[in-house]
Amino acid sequence: MNPDYILPELLEKIPIWAMVQDCYLGQHAINKKGEVYLPNPSPIDEPFEVKRQRYIDYQKRAVFYNATRHTANGMAGMVFAKYPTLDIPKELEYLKNSIDGGALSLVGQARQAFLMLLLKGRGGLLVDLHEINEKGYLPTKDSGNRPKIKLYDPENIINWRTQIINNKRVLTLLALRENYVKENGDLFKNEVGEQILVIRQDEAQVLFDIFRKENGKWTGKGWRVMKNVDSIPFSFIGANDNDETVDDAPLYDLAVVNLAHYRNSADYEEGNFIAGQPSLFITGVSNEWYQDVIKNGNPIRLGARTANLLGSGANAFLLQANANSGLYQAMTDKKELMVGLGARLIDTDSSVKTATQAGAEMAEKTSQLAHLANNLSDAYSRAFNFCAKLLGANHECVVTFNTKFNTAKMTAQERAQLIAEWQGGAITWDEYRARLVDDEIAFIEDAKQAKTQIENDNPLNGADYD
Protein backbone atom coordinates (compact mmCIF):
# COMPACT_ATOMS: atom_id res chain seq x y z
CA MET A 1 0.00 0.00 0.00
CA ASN A 2 1.35 3.40 -1.01
CA PRO A 3 -0.84 6.16 0.46
CA ASP A 4 1.87 8.71 -0.40
CA TYR A 5 1.49 8.11 -4.16
CA ILE A 6 1.54 11.43 -6.02
CA LEU A 7 -0.36 11.87 -9.29
CA PRO A 8 1.90 12.53 -12.33
CA GLU A 9 0.08 15.74 -13.30
CA LEU A 10 0.91 17.10 -9.87
CA LEU A 11 4.60 16.19 -10.09
CA GLU A 12 4.91 18.25 -13.28
CA LYS A 13 3.62 21.38 -11.55
CA ILE A 14 5.56 21.23 -8.27
CA PRO A 15 8.84 22.74 -9.67
CA ILE A 16 6.83 25.54 -11.33
CA TRP A 17 5.01 26.35 -8.10
CA ALA A 18 8.33 26.35 -6.21
CA MET A 19 9.80 28.84 -8.70
CA VAL A 20 6.87 31.27 -8.50
CA GLN A 21 6.80 31.02 -4.70
CA ASP A 22 10.55 31.68 -4.47
CA CYS A 23 10.04 34.82 -6.55
CA TYR A 24 7.32 35.91 -4.12
CA LEU A 25 9.53 35.23 -1.09
CA GLY A 26 12.27 37.40 -2.58
CA GLN A 27 16.03 37.64 -2.88
CA HIS A 28 16.89 35.46 0.10
CA ALA A 29 14.90 32.52 -1.29
CA ILE A 30 16.30 33.10 -4.79
CA ASN A 31 19.90 33.21 -3.53
CA LYS A 32 19.46 29.98 -1.56
CA LYS A 33 18.73 28.13 -4.80
CA GLY A 34 22.03 29.35 -6.29
CA GLU A 35 22.65 28.19 -9.84
CA VAL A 36 19.07 26.96 -10.23
CA TYR A 37 18.13 30.57 -10.99
CA LEU A 38 21.50 32.26 -11.62
CA PRO A 39 24.08 30.27 -13.65
CA ASN A 40 27.77 30.64 -12.79
CA PRO A 41 29.46 32.83 -15.44
CA SER A 42 32.95 31.42 -14.82
CA PRO A 43 34.69 29.37 -17.54
CA ILE A 44 34.51 25.61 -17.11
CA ASP A 45 38.29 25.18 -16.86
CA GLU A 46 38.71 27.82 -14.13
CA PRO A 47 39.98 26.52 -10.75
CA PHE A 48 37.19 25.55 -8.39
CA GLU A 49 38.06 28.03 -5.62
CA VAL A 50 38.36 30.90 -8.09
CA LYS A 51 35.06 29.94 -9.69
CA ARG A 52 33.39 29.60 -6.30
CA GLN A 53 34.52 33.00 -5.03
CA ARG A 54 33.57 34.73 -8.27
CA TYR A 55 30.08 33.26 -8.07
CA ILE A 56 29.64 34.40 -4.44
CA ASP A 57 30.57 37.95 -5.44
CA TYR A 58 28.49 37.73 -8.63
CA GLN A 59 25.41 36.68 -6.68
CA LYS A 60 25.87 39.30 -3.96
CA ARG A 61 25.94 42.14 -6.47
CA ALA A 62 22.77 41.00 -8.27
CA VAL A 63 19.55 42.74 -7.23
CA PHE A 64 16.18 40.98 -7.33
CA TYR A 65 13.42 43.54 -7.87
CA ASN A 66 10.46 41.71 -6.38
CA ALA A 67 7.74 42.52 -8.90
CA THR A 68 6.04 39.19 -8.16
CA ARG A 69 5.49 39.95 -4.48
CA HIS A 70 4.37 43.54 -5.03
CA THR A 71 1.89 42.47 -7.69
CA ALA A 72 0.45 39.60 -5.65
CA ASN A 73 0.08 41.70 -2.50
CA GLY A 74 -1.41 44.57 -4.50
CA MET A 75 -4.03 42.29 -6.04
CA ALA A 76 -4.82 40.72 -2.67
CA GLY A 77 -5.20 44.21 -1.23
CA MET A 78 -7.83 45.01 -3.87
CA VAL A 79 -9.86 41.88 -3.09
CA PHE A 80 -9.65 42.31 0.70
CA ALA A 81 -10.09 46.08 0.77
CA LYS A 82 -13.62 45.30 1.95
CA TYR A 83 -14.73 42.70 4.48
CA PRO A 84 -16.45 39.78 2.74
CA THR A 85 -20.24 39.67 2.75
CA LEU A 86 -21.49 36.74 4.84
CA ASP A 87 -24.93 35.15 4.87
CA ILE A 88 -24.42 32.46 7.52
CA PRO A 89 -26.40 31.14 10.51
CA LYS A 90 -25.49 32.16 14.05
CA GLU A 91 -24.13 28.66 14.68
CA LEU A 92 -21.23 29.46 12.33
CA GLU A 93 -20.39 32.93 13.65
CA TYR A 94 -17.37 31.46 15.46
CA LEU A 95 -15.70 30.74 12.12
CA LYS A 96 -15.23 34.45 11.43
CA ASN A 97 -12.59 34.72 14.17
CA SER A 98 -11.40 31.12 14.45
CA ILE A 99 -11.78 29.29 11.20
CA ASP A 100 -9.08 26.67 11.82
CA GLY A 101 -9.74 26.05 15.51
CA GLY A 102 -6.99 28.51 16.50
CA ALA A 103 -6.37 32.22 16.13
CA LEU A 104 -6.63 32.35 12.33
CA SER A 105 -9.62 34.38 11.12
CA LEU A 106 -11.71 33.83 8.01
CA VAL A 107 -10.17 36.87 6.29
CA GLY A 108 -6.64 35.79 7.26
CA GLN A 109 -7.09 32.31 5.84
CA ALA A 110 -8.94 33.54 2.76
CA ARG A 111 -6.09 35.95 1.97
CA GLN A 112 -3.64 33.04 2.19
CA ALA A 113 -5.88 31.07 -0.16
CA PHE A 114 -6.07 33.98 -2.63
CA LEU A 115 -2.28 34.36 -2.71
CA MET A 116 -2.08 30.60 -3.23
CA LEU A 117 -4.33 30.96 -6.27
CA LEU A 118 -2.14 33.73 -7.70
CA LEU A 119 1.15 31.90 -7.15
CA LYS A 120 0.07 28.33 -7.83
CA GLY A 121 -3.41 28.42 -9.33
CA ARG A 122 -4.76 25.84 -6.91
CA GLY A 123 -5.62 24.99 -3.30
CA GLY A 124 -8.20 23.19 -1.22
CA LEU A 125 -10.50 23.58 1.80
CA LEU A 126 -11.30 20.67 4.08
CA VAL A 127 -14.00 20.76 6.72
CA ASP A 128 -11.76 19.16 9.32
CA LEU A 129 -13.28 16.15 11.00
CA HIS A 130 -10.67 13.56 11.80
CA GLU A 131 -9.01 15.17 14.84
CA ILE A 132 -12.16 15.77 16.88
CA ASN A 133 -13.33 12.25 17.61
CA GLU A 134 -11.22 9.16 17.07
CA LYS A 135 -14.36 7.02 16.78
CA GLY A 136 -16.01 9.13 14.15
CA TYR A 137 -17.55 12.56 13.99
CA LEU A 138 -20.82 13.65 15.52
CA PRO A 139 -20.77 17.35 16.49
CA THR A 140 -23.46 18.99 18.55
CA LYS A 141 -24.49 22.65 18.68
CA ASP A 142 -23.70 23.08 22.36
CA SER A 143 -20.53 21.02 22.65
CA GLY A 144 -16.98 21.90 21.73
CA ASN A 145 -17.17 19.50 18.78
CA ARG A 146 -17.49 22.19 16.15
CA PRO A 147 -16.21 21.78 12.60
CA LYS A 148 -13.33 23.90 11.38
CA ILE A 149 -11.97 24.66 7.92
CA LYS A 150 -8.37 23.89 6.99
CA LEU A 151 -6.52 25.25 3.96
CA TYR A 152 -4.22 22.91 2.03
CA ASP A 153 -1.39 23.86 -0.32
CA PRO A 154 -1.63 22.17 -3.73
CA GLU A 155 1.62 20.28 -3.02
CA ASN A 156 -0.14 18.55 -0.13
CA ILE A 157 -3.21 17.51 -2.15
CA ILE A 158 -1.31 14.54 -3.53
CA ASN A 159 -4.01 12.22 -4.85
CA TRP A 160 -7.67 12.31 -5.80
CA ARG A 161 -10.22 10.41 -7.83
CA THR A 162 -13.62 11.36 -9.19
CA GLN A 163 -16.49 9.30 -10.51
CA ILE A 164 -19.79 10.00 -12.27
CA ILE A 165 -22.62 9.01 -9.92
CA ASN A 166 -26.23 9.80 -10.86
CA ASN A 167 -25.03 12.11 -13.65
CA LYS A 168 -22.91 14.09 -11.19
CA ARG A 169 -19.12 14.13 -10.86
CA VAL A 170 -18.33 13.09 -7.29
CA LEU A 171 -15.02 13.09 -5.42
CA THR A 172 -14.54 9.49 -4.28
CA LEU A 173 -10.91 9.51 -3.08
CA LEU A 174 -8.72 12.19 -1.51
CA ALA A 175 -5.21 11.94 -0.04
CA LEU A 176 -3.81 14.89 1.91
CA ARG A 177 -0.26 15.15 3.21
CA GLU A 178 0.03 16.56 6.74
CA ASN A 179 2.54 17.00 9.56
CA TYR A 180 2.19 15.84 13.14
CA VAL A 181 4.30 16.23 16.28
CA LYS A 182 5.87 12.99 17.47
CA GLU A 183 5.85 12.00 21.11
CA ASN A 184 9.56 12.07 21.98
CA GLY A 185 9.46 12.97 25.67
CA ASP A 186 11.29 16.26 25.09
CA LEU A 187 9.44 19.25 26.54
CA PHE A 188 11.32 21.81 24.45
CA LYS A 189 12.17 20.17 21.14
CA ASN A 190 9.47 19.02 18.75
CA GLU A 191 10.08 16.24 16.29
CA VAL A 192 7.78 16.51 13.27
CA GLY A 193 6.62 13.52 11.25
CA GLU A 194 4.61 13.10 8.05
CA GLN A 195 1.18 11.53 7.82
CA ILE A 196 -1.33 10.99 5.02
CA LEU A 197 -5.02 11.62 5.62
CA VAL A 198 -7.05 9.49 3.21
CA ILE A 199 -10.78 10.03 2.74
CA ARG A 200 -12.88 7.86 0.46
CA GLN A 201 -16.53 7.46 -0.39
CA ASP A 202 -17.83 3.92 -0.25
CA GLU A 203 -21.41 3.87 -1.54
CA ALA A 204 -23.44 5.82 1.03
CA GLN A 205 -20.59 6.13 3.55
CA VAL A 206 -17.60 8.44 3.81
CA LEU A 207 -14.61 6.75 5.45
CA PHE A 208 -11.26 8.11 6.58
CA ASP A 209 -7.94 6.81 7.87
CA ILE A 210 -4.60 8.34 8.88
CA PHE A 211 -1.42 6.61 7.69
CA ARG A 212 1.99 7.08 9.31
CA LYS A 213 5.29 5.51 8.33
CA GLU A 214 6.74 3.23 10.98
CA ASN A 215 9.87 1.17 10.38
CA GLY A 216 9.75 2.04 6.69
CA LYS A 217 6.14 0.89 6.28
CA TRP A 218 2.94 2.90 6.07
CA THR A 219 0.45 1.87 8.75
CA GLY A 220 -3.12 3.12 9.20
CA LYS A 221 -5.23 3.41 12.33
CA GLY A 222 -8.19 1.71 10.68
CA TRP A 223 -11.03 3.02 8.58
CA ARG A 224 -13.63 5.05 10.45
CA VAL A 225 -16.93 6.53 9.36
CA MET A 226 -17.51 10.26 9.00
CA LYS A 227 -20.98 10.62 10.41
CA ASN A 228 -23.57 13.13 9.20
CA VAL A 229 -21.91 13.54 5.79
CA ASP A 230 -22.85 11.97 2.46
CA SER A 231 -19.88 13.29 0.46
CA ILE A 232 -16.22 14.12 1.07
CA PRO A 233 -16.28 17.57 2.75
CA PHE A 234 -13.59 19.09 0.56
CA SER A 235 -13.63 21.98 -1.91
CA PHE A 236 -11.01 22.49 -4.58
CA ILE A 237 -10.10 26.09 -5.40
CA GLY A 238 -8.72 26.79 -8.88
CA ALA A 239 -7.58 29.72 -10.96
CA ASN A 240 -9.86 28.62 -13.80
CA ASP A 241 -12.45 26.29 -12.24
CA ASN A 242 -13.07 24.82 -8.82
CA ASP A 243 -12.71 21.25 -10.03
CA GLU A 244 -10.05 18.59 -9.58
CA THR A 245 -7.99 19.60 -12.64
CA VAL A 246 -4.67 21.39 -12.05
CA ASP A 247 -4.77 24.98 -13.34
CA ASP A 248 -1.87 27.20 -14.37
CA ALA A 249 -0.53 29.80 -11.94
CA PRO A 250 -1.68 33.31 -12.96
CA LEU A 251 1.64 34.90 -11.94
CA TYR A 252 3.89 32.32 -13.64
CA ASP A 253 4.69 34.51 -16.66
CA LEU A 254 5.50 37.46 -14.43
CA ALA A 255 7.85 35.32 -12.30
CA VAL A 256 9.71 34.11 -15.40
CA VAL A 257 10.36 37.70 -16.53
CA ASN A 258 11.24 38.64 -12.94
CA LEU A 259 14.02 36.03 -12.94
CA ALA A 260 15.25 37.12 -16.37
CA HIS A 261 15.49 40.68 -15.06
CA TYR A 262 17.47 39.34 -12.07
CA ARG A 263 20.00 37.63 -14.37
CA ASN A 264 20.43 40.81 -16.40
CA SER A 265 20.99 42.67 -13.14
CA ALA A 266 23.75 40.23 -12.13
CA ASP A 267 25.62 40.73 -15.43
CA TYR A 268 25.10 44.49 -15.37
CA GLU A 269 26.36 44.88 -11.79
CA GLU A 270 29.39 42.65 -12.41
CA GLY A 271 30.26 44.58 -15.55
CA ASN A 272 30.08 47.85 -13.66
CA PHE A 273 32.21 46.43 -10.86
CA ILE A 274 34.94 45.13 -13.15
CA ALA A 275 35.07 47.77 -15.87
CA GLY A 276 33.31 50.68 -14.20
CA GLN A 277 36.01 51.42 -11.60
CA PRO A 278 38.63 54.04 -12.58
CA SER A 279 41.93 52.41 -13.58
CA LEU A 280 45.26 54.31 -13.47
CA PHE A 281 47.55 54.17 -16.49
CA ILE A 282 51.07 55.67 -16.56
CA THR A 283 53.07 56.14 -19.78
CA GLY A 284 56.52 57.46 -20.62
CA VAL A 285 58.24 56.56 -17.34
CA SER A 286 61.91 55.60 -17.38
CA ASN A 287 63.55 52.52 -15.93
CA GLU A 288 65.53 54.79 -13.63
CA TRP A 289 62.32 56.26 -12.21
CA TYR A 290 60.90 52.78 -11.71
CA GLN A 291 64.02 51.66 -9.84
CA ASP A 292 64.18 54.78 -7.65
CA VAL A 293 60.48 55.08 -6.84
CA ILE A 294 58.61 51.78 -7.05
CA LYS A 295 61.40 49.43 -5.97
CA ASN A 296 62.33 51.68 -3.06
CA GLY A 297 58.89 51.22 -1.57
CA ASN A 298 57.21 54.40 -2.73
CA PRO A 299 53.80 53.33 -4.11
CA ILE A 300 51.72 55.40 -6.47
CA ARG A 301 48.90 57.04 -4.50
CA LEU A 302 45.58 58.41 -5.65
CA GLY A 303 43.79 61.38 -4.11
CA ALA A 304 43.87 65.15 -3.81
CA ARG A 305 46.26 65.16 -0.82
CA THR A 306 49.03 63.16 -2.45
CA ALA A 307 51.61 63.96 -5.10
CA ASN A 308 53.45 61.58 -7.39
CA LEU A 309 56.63 62.59 -9.24
CA LEU A 310 56.71 60.79 -12.59
CA GLY A 311 59.81 62.22 -14.13
CA SER A 312 60.40 64.09 -17.36
CA GLY A 313 58.11 63.12 -20.29
CA ALA A 314 55.87 60.82 -18.23
CA ASN A 315 52.09 61.03 -18.19
CA ALA A 316 49.35 59.56 -15.96
CA PHE A 317 45.60 59.32 -16.59
CA LEU A 318 42.49 57.46 -15.45
CA LEU A 319 40.32 55.27 -17.67
CA GLN A 320 36.74 54.33 -16.77
CA ALA A 321 34.36 52.33 -18.96
CA ASN A 322 30.79 53.44 -19.52
CA ALA A 323 27.93 51.31 -18.21
CA ASN A 324 26.84 48.42 -20.42
CA SER A 325 24.00 50.06 -22.30
CA GLY A 326 22.85 46.76 -23.84
CA LEU A 327 22.24 45.10 -20.46
CA TYR A 328 20.66 48.25 -19.06
CA GLN A 329 18.24 48.36 -21.99
CA ALA A 330 17.43 44.67 -21.50
CA MET A 331 16.58 45.37 -17.86
CA THR A 332 14.43 48.34 -18.86
CA ASP A 333 12.56 46.26 -21.45
CA LYS A 334 11.84 43.52 -18.92
CA LYS A 335 10.68 46.07 -16.38
CA GLU A 336 8.18 47.40 -18.89
CA LEU A 337 7.11 43.86 -19.70
CA MET A 338 6.49 43.15 -16.02
CA VAL A 339 4.34 46.26 -15.87
CA GLY A 340 2.34 44.92 -18.78
CA LEU A 341 1.95 41.56 -17.05
CA GLY A 342 0.45 43.11 -13.95
CA ALA A 343 3.30 44.63 -11.95
CA ARG A 344 1.58 48.01 -11.69
CA LEU A 345 3.38 48.81 -8.44
CA ILE A 346 6.80 48.67 -10.12
CA ASP A 347 6.20 51.71 -12.29
CA THR A 348 3.54 54.33 -12.87
CA ASP A 349 2.09 54.69 -16.35
CA SER A 350 1.59 58.40 -16.84
CA SER A 351 0.66 58.25 -20.51
CA VAL A 352 -2.62 59.79 -21.59
CA LYS A 353 -5.32 57.27 -22.56
CA THR A 354 -8.73 57.63 -24.09
CA ALA A 355 -11.75 56.62 -22.03
CA THR A 356 -12.15 53.50 -24.20
CA GLN A 357 -8.50 52.44 -23.63
CA ALA A 358 -8.71 53.04 -19.88
CA GLY A 359 -11.99 51.12 -19.63
CA ALA A 360 -10.66 48.19 -21.64
CA GLU A 361 -7.49 47.97 -19.51
CA MET A 362 -9.50 48.09 -16.29
CA ALA A 363 -11.87 45.37 -17.57
CA GLU A 364 -8.95 43.15 -18.60
CA LYS A 365 -7.14 43.62 -15.32
CA THR A 366 -10.15 43.20 -13.05
CA SER A 367 -11.71 40.32 -14.94
CA GLN A 368 -9.01 37.89 -13.81
CA LEU A 369 -9.07 39.28 -10.28
CA ALA A 370 -12.85 39.06 -10.17
CA HIS A 371 -12.77 35.50 -11.49
CA LEU A 372 -10.30 34.44 -8.77
CA ALA A 373 -12.38 36.21 -6.10
CA ASN A 374 -15.55 34.52 -7.35
CA ASN A 375 -13.88 31.09 -7.28
CA LEU A 376 -12.76 31.81 -3.72
CA SER A 377 -16.32 32.83 -2.80
CA ASP A 378 -17.78 29.63 -4.26
CA ALA A 379 -15.28 27.40 -2.43
CA TYR A 380 -15.84 29.06 0.95
CA SER A 381 -19.60 29.03 0.47
CA ARG A 382 -19.44 25.29 -0.14
CA ALA A 383 -17.23 24.75 2.93
CA PHE A 384 -19.55 26.80 5.13
CA ASN A 385 -22.51 24.77 3.88
CA PHE A 386 -20.69 21.57 4.90
CA CYS A 387 -20.26 23.05 8.39
CA ALA A 388 -23.89 24.15 8.58
CA LYS A 389 -25.11 20.69 7.61
CA LEU A 390 -22.91 19.05 10.24
CA LEU A 391 -24.32 21.30 12.94
CA GLY A 392 -27.89 20.78 11.76
CA ALA A 393 -28.39 24.40 10.70
CA ASN A 394 -30.97 24.66 7.93
CA HIS A 395 -29.42 27.60 6.11
CA GLU A 396 -27.94 28.15 2.64
CA CYS A 397 -24.59 29.84 3.35
CA VAL A 398 -23.14 32.40 0.98
CA VAL A 399 -19.65 33.91 1.34
CA THR A 400 -18.86 36.71 -1.11
CA PHE A 401 -15.48 38.40 -1.55
CA ASN A 402 -15.04 41.83 -3.10
CA THR A 403 -14.95 42.07 -6.91
CA LYS A 404 -15.35 45.84 -7.27
CA PHE A 405 -11.85 47.15 -7.84
CA ASN A 406 -12.35 50.47 -9.62
CA THR A 407 -11.25 53.00 -7.02
CA ALA A 408 -12.15 56.03 -9.12
CA LYS A 409 -14.59 58.22 -7.19
CA MET A 410 -17.46 60.22 -8.63
CA THR A 411 -16.91 63.93 -8.97
CA ALA A 412 -19.38 66.39 -7.44
CA GLN A 413 -20.88 66.95 -10.90
CA GLU A 414 -21.30 63.21 -11.46
CA ARG A 415 -23.04 62.80 -8.10
CA ALA A 416 -25.38 65.68 -8.91
CA GLN A 417 -26.17 64.06 -12.26
CA LEU A 418 -26.83 60.72 -10.55
CA ILE A 419 -29.31 62.37 -8.16
CA ALA A 420 -31.01 64.13 -11.07
CA GLU A 421 -31.38 60.83 -12.96
CA TRP A 422 -32.95 59.18 -9.90
CA GLN A 423 -35.30 62.09 -9.23
CA GLY A 424 -36.20 62.23 -12.93
CA GLY A 425 -37.19 58.56 -12.94
CA ALA A 426 -34.39 57.36 -15.21
CA ILE A 427 -33.05 54.95 -12.55
CA THR A 428 -34.62 53.29 -9.49
CA TRP A 429 -33.72 53.84 -5.84
CA ASP A 430 -31.99 50.43 -5.78
CA GLU A 431 -29.81 51.40 -8.76
CA TYR A 432 -29.03 54.79 -7.22
CA ARG A 433 -28.14 53.21 -3.90
CA ALA A 434 -25.95 50.54 -5.53
CA ARG A 435 -23.88 53.25 -7.25
CA LEU A 436 -23.36 55.05 -3.94
CA VAL A 437 -22.20 51.80 -2.33
CA ASP A 438 -19.83 51.07 -5.24
CA ASP A 439 -18.27 54.50 -4.74
CA GLU A 440 -17.99 53.90 -0.96
CA ILE A 441 -20.14 56.94 -0.22
CA ALA A 442 -22.75 54.68 1.39
CA PHE A 443 -22.06 51.40 3.18
CA ILE A 444 -25.44 49.68 3.75
CA GLU A 445 -25.67 47.47 0.68
CA ASP A 446 -29.28 46.34 1.17
CA ALA A 447 -31.37 49.10 -0.48
CA LYS A 448 -34.52 48.36 1.57
CA GLN A 449 -32.55 48.35 4.82
CA ALA A 450 -30.95 51.66 3.83
CA LYS A 451 -34.40 53.13 3.06
CA THR A 452 -35.73 52.11 6.49
CA GLN A 453 -32.66 53.50 8.24
CA ILE A 454 -32.93 56.83 6.41
CA GLU A 455 -36.62 57.14 7.27
CA ASN A 456 -35.91 56.37 10.93
CA ASP A 457 -33.11 58.93 11.05
CA ASN A 458 -35.21 61.59 9.33
CA PRO A 459 -38.98 60.88 9.58
CA LEU A 460 -39.79 64.14 7.74
CA ASN A 461 -37.97 62.92 4.68
CA GLY A 462 -40.70 62.30 2.14
CA ALA A 463 -38.54 61.15 -0.75
CA ASP A 464 -39.92 58.60 -3.18
CA TYR A 465 -37.68 55.50 -3.10
CA ASP A 466 -39.40 53.51 -5.82
Side-chain angles (χ1 to χ4, degrees):
M1 182 178 291
N2 298 310
D4 59 339
Y5 173 76
I6 302 176
L7 291 179
E9 56 263 41
L10 188 66
L11 289 173
E12 294 177 359
K13 293 291 185 179
I14 289 177
I16 296 174
W17 295 336
M19 182 271 287
V20 182
Q21 180 166 287
D22 286 341
C23 287
Y24 176 83
L25 294 176
Q27 183 141 358
H28 179 70
I30 295 295
N31 286 350
K32 283 180 65 177
K33 296 293 180 69
E35 294 188 42
V36 172
Y37 300 132
L38 187 65
N40 194 324
S42 300
I44 296 177
D45 56 352
E46 197 169 54
F48 174 77
E49 284 302 321
V50 175
K51 183 185 298 186
R52 176 177 174 273
Q53 187 58 49
R54 181 189 176 185
Y55 185 75
I56 292 174
D57 297 336
Y58 177 67
Q59 191 181 53
K60 282 182 179 179
R61 284 189 290 266
V63 178
F64 183 78
Y65 298 95
N66 202 334
T68 305
R69 184 183 187 92
H70 288 314
T71 302
N73 287 347
M75 289 181 172
M78 295 173 73
V79 172
F80 293 93
K82 299 178 182 178
Y83 195 86
T85 302
L86 304 178
D87 182 4
I88 60 176
K90 62 180 181 180
E91 290 90 344
L92 298 184
E93 288 287 330
Y94 70 93
L95 289 173
K96 293 195 295 187
N97 297 318
S98 178
I99 196 165
D100 66 341
L104 186 62
S105 67
L106 164 63
V107 171
Q109 186 189 80
R111 192 176 188 277
Q112 293 177 8
F114 183 77
L115 288 172
M116 196 179 293
L117 284 182
L118 287 173
L119 301 177
K120 302 175 183 179
R122 184 173 170 83
L125 298 173
L126 175 71
V127 176
D128 195 11
L129 312 172
H130 64 279
E131 293 180 357
I132 296 177
N133 189 329
E134 288 293 323
K135 298 180 180 179
Y137 183 72
L138 187 60
T140 61
K141 295 181 181 180
D142 300 324
S143 72
N145 292 348
R146 301 186 301 186
K148 54 189 176 182
I149 300 174
K150 292 180 67 175
L151 174 66
Y152 284 82
D153 289 330
E155 299 94 329
N156 293 326
I157 309 171
I158 62 174
N159 199 354
W160 60 89
R161 189 178 303 151
T162 61
Q163 185 177 347
I164 302 296
I165 301 177
N166 296 326
N167 294 323
K168 182 180 179 181
R169 184 175 294 277
V170 177
L171 183 66
T172 57
L173 175 70
L174 180 68
L176 302 170
R177 184 165 49 199
E178 302 178 332
N179 292 328
Y180 73 97
V181 179
K182 295 182 178 180
E183 297 290 340
N184 58 4
D186 192 325
L187 178 63
F188 301 100
K189 185 178 180 181
N190 286 336
E191 185 179 353
V192 179
E194 180 182 306
Q195 67 183 23
I196 309 296
L197 167 64
V198 181
I199 309 174
R200 64 185 177 91
Q201 183 158 357
D202 184 10
E203 296 181 354
Q205 292 188 100
V206 177
L207 308 172
F208 75 99
D209 197 358
I210 299 173
F211 293 85
R212 294 177 179 176
K213 183 173 282 190
E214 299 174 0
N215 300 320
K217 183 180 179 181
W218 288 99
T219 304
K221 295 182 177 181
W223 292 102
R224 285 153 287 172
V225 177
M226 283 185 176
K227 298 179 181 179
N228 284 8
V229 297
D230 54 10
S231 61
I232 296 176
F234 184 83
S235 300
F236 286 103
I237 321 173
N240 296 331
D241 302 292
N242 287 352
D243 58 12
E244 73 280 1
T245 58
V246 183
D247 298 333
D248 293 329
L251 290 187
Y252 169 74
D253 291 337
L254 175 60
V256 170
V257 180
N258 210 164
L259 284 174
H261 183 276
Y262 170 65
R263 297 186 190 105
N264 285 159
S265 169
D267 292 337
Y268 179 77
E269 297 295 341
E270 185 184 46
N272 281 347
F273 176 78
I274 295 173
Q277 299 181 75
S279 299
L280 177 64
F281 288 82
I282 302 175
T283 63
V285 297
S286 64
N287 183 61
E288 180 182 359
W289 174 86
Y290 173 76
Q291 296 293 334
D292 292 342
V293 177
I294 301 300
K295 282 205 168 184
N296 285 336
N298 298 311
I300 298 295
R301 294 183 175 87
L302 297 178
R305 297 181 180 180
T306 62
N308 298 289
L309 301 177
L310 302 181
S312 178
N315 184 30
F317 55 92
L318 292 173
L319 284 183
Q320 183 176 3
N322 294 326
N324 189 321
S325 59
L327 283 172
Y328 185 80
Q329 185 60 47
M331 293 169 63
T332 302
D333 292 344
K334 289 179 178 64
K335 183 178 178 182
E336 293 177 356
L337 182 56
M338 286 189 286
V339 171
L341 290 171
R344 303 299 182 186
L345 301 181
I346 281 277
D347 200 0
T348 301
D349 186 1
S350 58
S351 60
V352 178
K353 297 182 177 66
T354 66
T356 303
Q357 288 174 321
E361 287 188 7
M362 178 58 69
E364 181 181 358
K365 183 179 179 182
T366 59
S367 61
Q368 185 179 29
L369 273 181
H371 186 66
L372 293 176
N374 285 332
N375 284 355
L376 197 66
S377 299
D378 292 342
Y380 270 99
S381 296
R382 187 163 184 254
F384 268 71
N385 278 311
F386 272 125
C387 294
K389 185 175 181 180
L390 288 167
L391 291 176
N394 186 19
H395 190 99
E396 185 68 24
C397 301
V398 179
V399 180
T400 307
F401 295 96
N402 177 45
T403 57
K404 299 172 183 176
F405 310 124
N406 191 350
T407 57
K409 304 296 182 182
M410 285 188 292
T411 64
Q413 292 80 3
E414 289 172 334
R415 289 176 61 184
Q417 180 63 31
L418 185 68
I419 293 174
E421 290 172 349
W422 167 50
Q423 292 176 335
I427 60 176
T428 65
W429 159 257
D430 288 6
E431 292 170 321
Y432 169 70
R433 184 73 190 181
R435 185 65 183 90
L436 293 180
V437 171
D438 285 347
D439 218 49
E440 297 184 350
I441 297 170
F443 296 97
I444 300 178
E445 296 191 12
D446 189 296
K448 292 182 179 179
Q449 180 184 350
K451 172 185 174 181
T452 302
Q453 185 67 46
I454 292 171
E455 290 176 343
N456 291 337
D457 291 344
N458 186 7
L460 298 179
N461 188 347
D464 182 8
Y465 295 96
D466 297 324

